[in-house]
Amino acid sequence: MRELNEINQDLDLCNQKILELLNQHLSLKAEAMNTKKARNLSLLLPEQKISVPKDIPYDEEVQDVLTALESAGKRVGSKCLFDTNIALIGFMGTGKSTISGYLKDMLALKEVDVDAMIVKNENMAIKDIFAKHGEEYFRTCESEAILSLKDCKQSVISCGGGAVIREENVTNLKKTSQIVLLTASPETILSRVKESEERPILNGNMNVDFIKELMAKRADYYYKAADVIIETDHKDVSQICEELLAALTGLKDEV
Ligand SMILES: Nc1ncnc2c1ncn2[C@@H]1O[C@H](COP(=O)(O)OP(=O)(O)OP(=O)(O)O)[C@@H](O)[C@H]1O
Ligand SMILES: O=C(O)C1=C[C@@H](O)[C@@H](O)[C@H](O)C1
Ligand SMILES: [Mg+2]
């Protein structure tokens, strides 16, 4: 049997090699992302995955380490693209929550859904907050939730559809985030949200005319707040995310 200090010396050497390889791996991830950007390739194109052979000892533990490494690689990639948060704004049903979920998975960003924060803080569904306390109370909860995000980093923030009506929310979001406006036609919005009862403003108003009118009332707020605008009609989620990242990266390169 070997002595413990001898084993520890071997472990030290092994750890040094791991550190060197980790640095090399993450630097290659950064190089890959910068190359995709420079050559206008798909920014979300997946890179090779390492598969763990089943017959090695500790295969489950190795898989855990590789999963963490994959996530770290995605974060390195996202840092190459932008160093601010992404705040998604837009009318109900433009896909803010959907796009946010996809970006979170693809770039290992933290995901913050302002509506979900309010539901958690108030321990009540949005439609119940509106019914019990009214819209103004909801808007105050929304402003407090947005203010509390001031230290948030490497995150995708999905805002409620009416968040930009209050100027203070836009000011607070702009301190940490690039603001991306998602748009869709009233017809598209209706087709996406008509089965849901979770949007109190649309309950009893589920028709194109109402959506069109409310959208027109809010248009100035949305367009003024936006750093980037992405139309989402007839596009799938991956296409929208590619466009969004290309536009944000373009913004960064302009600075
Ligand atoms: N690009 C898309 N193509 C087809 N369906 C979509 C697309 N984006 C979102 N959807 C669908 O539309 C519905 C509304 O999307 P989502 O909840 O993401 O909108 P939202 O902007 O977050 O709305 P809200 O402001 O009310 O929170 C969902 O059922 C979602 O699956
Ligand atoms: O557009 C709006 O005013 C709203 C949109 C939702 O995301 C929720 O924030 C709430 O239902 C209000
Ligand atoms: Mg949403």
Side-chain angles (χ1 to χ4, degrees):
M1 185 185 287
R2 295 202 301 157
E3 291 305 321
L4 187 59
N5 64 350
E6 199 184 327
I7 299 170
N8 280 341
Q9 276 175 9
D10 280 357
L11 267 176
D12 267 347
L13 284 176
C14 183
N15 289 344
Q16 275 170 30
K17 282 190 207 159
I18 290 174
L19 277 179
E20 268 170 39
L21 285 173
L22 281 177
N23 264 330
Q24 193 184 346
H25 177 94
L26 294 176
S27 303
L28 286 166
K29 286 283 176 185
E31 191 182 351
M33 184 56 95
N34 286 327
T35 303
K36 287 181 196 171
K37 207 167 79 174
R39 306 223 186 287
N40 282 331
L41 300 173
S42 157
L43 295 172
L44 295 174
L45 195 72
E47 284 142 28
Q48 308 101 301
K49 283 208 170 220
I50 322 167
S51 53
V52 184
K54 278 279 164 238
D55 56 351
I56 61 164
Y58 315 117
D59 62 317
E60 283 181 21
E61 290 75 10
V62 170
Q63 185 57 62
D64 287 349
V65 173
L66 290 181
T67 304
L69 183 60
E70 190 185 338
S71 183
K74 286 178 178 176
R75 283 203 301 282
V76 166
S78 72
K79 281 183 182 165
C80 295
L81 295 179
F82 41 80
D83 44 19
T84 58
N85 299 319
I86 302 175
L88 300 173
I89 62 165
F91 200 83
M92 290 165 273
T94 47
K96 300 177 295 293
S97 301
T98 308
I99 298 301
S100 148
Y102 192 85
L103 288 177
K104 173 200 141 203
D105 288 345
M106 299 307 285
L107 295 171
L109 299 173
K110 277 173 260 154
E111 187 183 25
V112 180
D113 188 309
V114 176
D115 281 343
M117 281 175 79
I118 300 168
V119 169
K120 190 164 172 233
N121 292 345
E122 296 295 304
N123 196 20
M124 218 188 274
I126 289 181
K127 63 176 183 331
D128 298 331
I129 303 176
F130 269 71
K132 189 162 176 210
H133 300 294
E135 181 167 350
E136 269 315 289
Y137 179 85
F138 173 82
R139 295 294 168 208
T140 300
C141 298
E142 189 170 50
S143 297
E144 282 168 4
I146 289 174
L147 184 63
S148 76
L149 298 176
K150 62 180 186 320
D151 296 323
C152 200
K153 289 204 173 82
Q154 289 300 116
S155 302
V156 52
I157 302 167
S158 163
C159 300
V164 294
I165 297 170
R166 284 196 180 179
E167 201 180 335
E168 66 185 273
N169 295 341
V170 178
T171 308
N172 286 328
L173 286 168
K174 281 206 187 268
K175 285 179 189 160
T176 60
S177 312
Q178 297 287 355
I179 300 189
V180 177
L181 170 64
L182 299 180
T183 67
S185 69
E187 290 76 11
T188 299
I189 302 271
L190 182 65
S191 73
R192 288 184 189 164
V193 303
K194 63 178 186 290
E195 305 302 339
S196 162
E197 291 176 0
E198 285 306 309
R199 298 173 176 87
I201 289 178
L202 293 181
N203 290 344
N205 296 312
M206 220 30 117
N207 58 75
V208 165
D209 285 344
F210 180 87
I211 294 172
K212 205 181 260 178
E213 203 173 304
L214 184 57
M215 214 185 246
K217 273 192 205 148
R218 289 184 174 179
D220 269 0
Y221 296 104
Y222 287 136
Y223 285 92
K224 250 198 210 155
D227 296 306
V228 160
I229 300 163
I230 307 290
E231 292 174 11
T232 71
D233 287 285
H234 315 298
K235 291 179 190 163
D236 67 25
V237 175
S238 64
Q239 197 181 350
I240 294 165
C241 291
E242 288 285 0
E243 268 185 43
L244 186 161
L245 293 178
L248 279 182
T249 310
L251 268 192
K252 188 183 164 197
D253 291 345
E254 272 169 28
V255 181

